[in-house]
Amino acid sequence: MAAVLLNKRIEFCASHRYHKPEWDAAKNRATFGACNNDPGHGHNYMLEVTVAGEVDPRTGMVVNLFDLKVVLLQVLEEFDHKHLNLDLPYFKAQIPTSENIARVLWDKLDAQRDIGKLQRLSLYEDEDLCADLTAEAGLDVASVTRRYSFTAVHEGHRGHTWDVFVSVHGPIDRETGMVTDIVALDRLVHDRILLPFEGRDLRIALATPSVTGEYLAKAVWDRIVSVVPAGRLQLVKVVQSRDLSYEYCG
C-alpha cells in the first residue's frame, strides 16, 4: 500500500533575538533589523509536521493522533515560554532563526520512530513568516515564505486587498541562520511591488488592459526573480480571497 501523508499542527510560545555577539551593533542592526532589538521579542509559534506511513488496516490511521500529539507536546515542553537565546543550549552557538529552530525540532522529532517517517516540518513565527524543511532537501537547506499585502483597484472596481506570499529556497547561512536577507527582501518587495501597486489601478500600474490573478502572480515573479538577495525565488502565491489564490513559479 502506498504511503499516506498526515499533517498535524500545534502551538507553542517562545521569545528570541537575532544577534551575533562578535558583530558590532551597526552590523547586527543592518543584518537583522528590528529582530535585533534587545532583549528580544515573542511569538505564538505554529508548528506543522507532516509524517508518512502506511494506513494500519486495524485502526485506519497512519499514526495514532493521540500518540502524535503527546510526542509533540513532550518535545515542545522544552521550548514553550522560554527565551530561546538564554534558556536553551541549542542556541548558544547559533541564532534562533525560524530556520535554525526548525532544524533543532526536526532532529528531535525524527528520532521518534513511532510517529511515522517525518517528511516535512513548517514553523510559522506568525502569519507573515514561515520556514519549511523537507526530508527530500535535507537539513542544510530550507524554504522561507514571507507574506506582504497591498490594496489596489482591480478591473475598475473598488480597492481590493491582495496578499502576496514570496517563497525563497536555498542553503541556510552558517553565520546568520537565514536562507535570505529578510531585511533586504522586505525592501525589495516594498520598492518593486508594494510601492508601485498600492492604491493604484493595476491595469495602469502594469500597463495592460486587464489584470487576472494569474497575470498578477507572474508580474510579481518577474519583478523580483533576478534580484532576490540570497537563495532562489521558489514560488509566488497571490491570494485574492479566502477561496481563491494563484501560484506561479517560473
Side-chain angles (χ1 to χ4, degrees):
M1 182 181 294
V4 174
L5 300 180
L6 182 146
N7 298 318
K8 174 65 176 174
R9 285 186 167 191
I10 191 166
E11 293 182 336
F12 68 99
C13 301
S15 58
H16 64 164
R17 183 188 183 202
Y18 288 23
H19 182 75
K20 287 190 71 67
E22 59 268 36
W23 290 359
D24 62 29
K27 185 173 182 179
N28 270 292
R29 183 69 181 182
T31 304
F32 303 123
C35 290
N36 181 242
N37 289 350
D38 195 14
H41 58 281
H43 294 286
N44 293 321
Y45 287 96
M46 175 71 76
L47 174 66
E48 181 176 44
V49 297
T50 301
V51 297
E54 293 187 357
V55 177
D56 189 316
R58 295 177 296 106
T59 66
M61 296 185 292
V62 171
V63 60
N64 186 294
L65 288 175
F66 177 79
D67 294 341
L68 177 59
K69 183 177 181 180
V70 169
V71 168
L72 292 173
L73 288 172
Q74 289 173 343
V75 168
L76 292 178
E77 183 179 9
E78 185 180 11
F79 297 77
D80 196 33
H81 289 88
K82 299 293 177 60
H83 192 303
L84 301 179
N85 302 69
L86 305 177
D87 298 333
L88 297 184
Y90 318 111
F91 306 109
K92 299 302 181 183
Q94 63 177 344
I95 300 170
T97 60
S98 295
E99 296 94 318
N100 280 338
I101 299 169
R103 286 203 290 191
V104 172
L105 291 173
W106 182 287
D107 284 338
K108 289 183 167 294
L109 290 171
D110 195 43
Q112 304 289 333
R113 295 301 180 184
D114 56 342
I115 65 170
K117 181 173 176 55
L118 189 59
Q119 290 291 309
R120 185 183 187 94
L121 186 153
S122 301
L123 182 65
Y124 296 81
E125 279 196 3
D126 50 37
E127 293 183 346
D128 295 331
L129 185 64
C130 174
D132 294 283
L133 299 175
T134 65
E136 181 181 8
L139 300 189
D140 292 328
V141 297
S143 296
V144 173
T145 300
R146 186 78 156 157
R147 182 181 74 161
Y148 305 91
S149 300
F150 66 87
T151 300
V153 175
H154 181 230
E155 296 299 290
H157 301 297
R158 293 180 180 179
H160 181 81
T161 298
W162 302 83
D163 285 335
V164 177
F165 292 83
V166 175
S167 297
V168 179
H169 181 80
I172 301 172
D173 186 89
R174 292 180 178 273
E175 278 201 303
T176 66
M178 299 189 296
V179 166
T180 194
D181 185 333
I182 293 294
V183 175
L185 182 64
D186 288 348
R187 186 165 53 247
L188 169 66
V189 173
H190 175 269
D191 292 346
R192 298 206 173 198
I193 306 300
L194 306 185
L195 192 60
F197 293 171
E198 179 65 41
R200 299 192 63 196
D201 187 322
L202 290 177
R203 296 172 300 179
I204 297 174
L206 293 169
T208 184
S210 180
V211 177
T212 63
E214 296 92 332
Y215 187 95
L216 181 57
K218 184 179 185 303
V220 172
W221 175 283
D222 290 342
R223 285 176 173 236
I224 64 175
V225 62
S226 64
V227 285
V228 170
R232 64 173 179 83
L233 188 58
Q234 183 180 39
L235 182 73
V236 166
K237 179 180 179 180
V238 172
V239 178
Q240 184 171 340
S241 69
R242 61 177 296 177
D243 301 319
L244 185 60
S245 64
Y246 308 88
E247 296 182 1
Y248 183 83
C249 56

